[in-house]
Amino acid sequence: MTTSASISSMKAEEAANLIIGGERLFILDVRNEADYADWKIEGKRVEAVNIPYFELLDGVDEALAALPADREVLVVCAKEGSSVFVARQLAEAGVSGVRYLEGGMKAWSEYVRPVKIGDLRGGGELYQFVRMGKGCLSYMIFASGEAAVIDAPRMTETFLRVAEERGARIRHTLDTHLHADHISGGRQLALQSGGTYWLPPKDAQEVMFDYAELADGARIAVGGATIEIHALHSPGHTIGSTSFLVDGTYLLTGDILFVASIGRPDLAGLAEDWAGDLHETLYERYRALPEELIVLPAHFGSWQELGERGAVAARLGDLFAGNPGLNMADETAFRRMVTEQLPRHPNAYEAIRQTNMGRLTPAIEEQREMESGPSRCAIHDN
Amino acid sequence: MEISMVVDTKGLACPMPIVKAKKAMSGLNAGQIMQVLSTDKGAVNDFTAWVKQTGHELVRHEEDGGVYAFYVRKV
């Protein structure tokens, strides 16, 4: 018997590019069924089967029967070890071109994919950073050698690298609100780049560090006076939630308004109190804005929201026409929708809030664990 | 609870804790209990699912200072 079993790794970036590029991808996910049901890699042309690795210890016949004959297979597990184990066995059983996801779902969760959204006046540019594994979206504005980062994840290296590549200095990092689903990198990134960290004061009453107050109506300049970020207090997901109007064209809605859903008001335990704020923000404050604005949210709930080139964006007017959260007949029905039958909470959301307030400082491994699973910040998430 | 066998997989990553536990299981008699030690947090869901799939019984599991202990009774 020959054992010239050849397997190779695939980085999260390659997997993401295949998925966004519309390539077919067959995934054999060997995690346990509960973890697989909780979150997995998805996409328009992604097919997947879930067979836990511990069912394949004595042989891979069960997996062989489930694999397509005509395509390469990507084996995925939590951290890589089990996928290598299964990939080797498949290769020894004669399957060619078997690949495994380097770093497993842990790496998938941490990978962020930059997509250009558009040009801004004066040669500026706006980029979206798509954290595909978790459904988080961050933004980076470039103008005249300066940059601002909005809703940065804890993986700040990506943003420092991109800034360096473009010869831009990160002057501002801003969070639309105190996040409950992921650990913010905003403060860290500001410390690393010598920039200013901005946070809405109403979300920051218990924080343990200094920050700049994002007051309603504040205007933050990037690149001298080239680009302006205009802060608009828009409570509801949290009491401090703030939207940003960028260059008069883009509306960064944070966790208030998504492409296919709206934000949930319950992650700080105050759903009843905040439902009214959420209604006022969506049905009055946003209604008063130009319909031509391009909405750029801080999250997406499913791969269906990823548009062309893998970006998540929609015209405000289109969302008023089609987003179910913006089309409730009356406030009573709206209140019921945003306070009853909400999805499960994001994993470790209370510990994540405490971390983002600087009241907890978990080790990096623990931070990864806290962030495992999808964000679940929208009322329609699974 | 009488423990007939201890399987120490501390420091080992997936899939080794279950590979070792499975191997050790074949040396147990029905009714005997095996203790498996692991430092892999992911082992909790994996062990629960593995024991269920094999038809054995996960008597209980506990965590102490980052070390997870699983008590599995062979059926």
Side-chain angles (χ1 to χ4, degrees), chain A residues 17-59:
Chain A
N17 287 336
L18 286 174
I19 292 169
I20 298 303
E23 304 280 339
R24 292 170 82 190
L25 184 62
F26 191 92
I27 292 174
L28 171 61
D29 194 318
V30 297
R31 292 174 299 152
N32 65 69
E33 286 168 8
D35 288 355
Y36 179 74
D38 194 37
W39 66 309
K40 53 184 174 286
I41 299 176
E42 293 175 293
K44 193 172 180 183
R45 301 191 76 199
V46 172
E47 276 178 78
V49 288
N50 173 223
I51 307 174
Y53 67 89
F54 43 81
E55 294 182 19
L56 302 170
L57 297 179
D58 291 330

Side-chain angles (χ1 to χ4, degrees), chain A residues 358-380:
Chain A
R359 306 183 79 88
L360 282 179
T361 45
I364 182 69
E365 269 309 313
E366 203 179 331
Q367 294 188 22
R368 288 192 175 117
E369 288 292 341
M370 287 158 65
E371 285 194 338
S372 68
S375 287
R376 299 199 180 96
C377 285
I379 62 163
H380 297 104

Side-chain angles (χ1 to χ4, degrees), chain A residues 32 34-35 53-55 57-58 79 81-82 85 369, chain B residues 14-15 18-19 22 40-42 45-46 49-50 53:
Chain A
N32 65 69
D35 288 355
Y53 67 89
F54 43 81
E55 294 182 19
L57 297 179
D58 291 330
K79 280 177 263 181
S82 299
F85 178 86
E369 288 292 341
Chain B
C14 246
I18 287 185
V19 169
K22 185 182 162 70
D40 184 1
K41 195 171 182 183
N45 280 352
D46 283 1
W50 171 67
Q53 179 243 335

Side-chain angles (χ1 to χ4, degrees), chain A residues 122-335:
Chain A
E125 289 179 285
L126 174 59
Y127 277 78
Q128 184 177 61
F129 286 74
V130 185
R131 190 173 175 186
M132 293 180 64
K134 199 153 171 65
C136 298
L137 301 167
S138 310
Y139 297 91
M140 198 160 184
I141 296 163
F142 295 97
S144 307
E146 291 187 358
V149 180
I150 292 134
D151 289 331
R154 67 179 161 77
M155 295 80 69
T156 55
E157 321 80 51
T158 304
F159 297 86
L160 291 169
R161 196 189 64 233
V162 171
E164 196 185 324
E165 282 167 6
R166 304 178 61 101
R169 186 181 154 213
I170 298 173
R171 289 293 302 270
H172 305 285
T173 68
L174 304 84
D175 276 343
T176 50
H177 62 287
L178 185 83
H179 296 285
D181 64 295
H182 68 273
I183 295 166
S184 170
R187 184 166 156 258
Q188 179 65 18
L189 189 55
L191 290 170
Q192 288 167 325
S193 60
T196 304
Y197 177 46
W198 299 80
L199 197 57
K202 285 184 176 169
D203 278 7
Q205 284 165 6
E206 295 171 65
V207 306
M208 305 296 282
F209 45 77
D210 291 331
Y211 66 98
E213 290 197 1
L214 262 178
D216 184 31
R219 289 167 191 270
I220 296 156
V222 188
T226 318
I227 303 296
E228 203 169 65
I229 302 172
H230 184 180
L232 175 71
H233 184 218
S234 53
H237 176 63
T238 62
I239 193 66
S241 285
T242 297
S243 305
F244 300 124
L245 190 55
V246 176
D247 204 24
T249 305
Y250 299 97
L251 181 65
L252 276 58
T253 52
D255 282 8
I256 291 294
L257 175 61
F258 306 114
V259 166
S261 185
I262 57 172
R264 58 193 294 175
D266 64 316
L267 293 180
L270 296 165
E272 294 294 339
D273 293 357
W274 293 358
D277 291 323
L278 186 62
H279 187 268
E280 189 184 330
T281 290
L282 292 172
Y283 287 78
E284 292 172 35
R285 296 202 135 203
Y286 279 4
R287 267 286 176 198
L289 298 171
E291 294 206 332
E292 288 70 41
L293 291 177
I294 302 297
V295 171
L296 298 169
H299 286 290
F300 61 99
S302 93
W303 62 266
Q304 281 101 334
E305 289 168 64
L306 293 167
E308 212 185 325
R309 300 183 302 117
V312 180
R315 212 179 134 264
L316 182 60
D318 292 345
L319 296 187
F320 276 124
N323 186 312
L326 293 176
N327 285 282
M328 298 302 288
D330 59 76
E331 193 174 336
T332 311
F334 178 88
R335 270 184 174 274

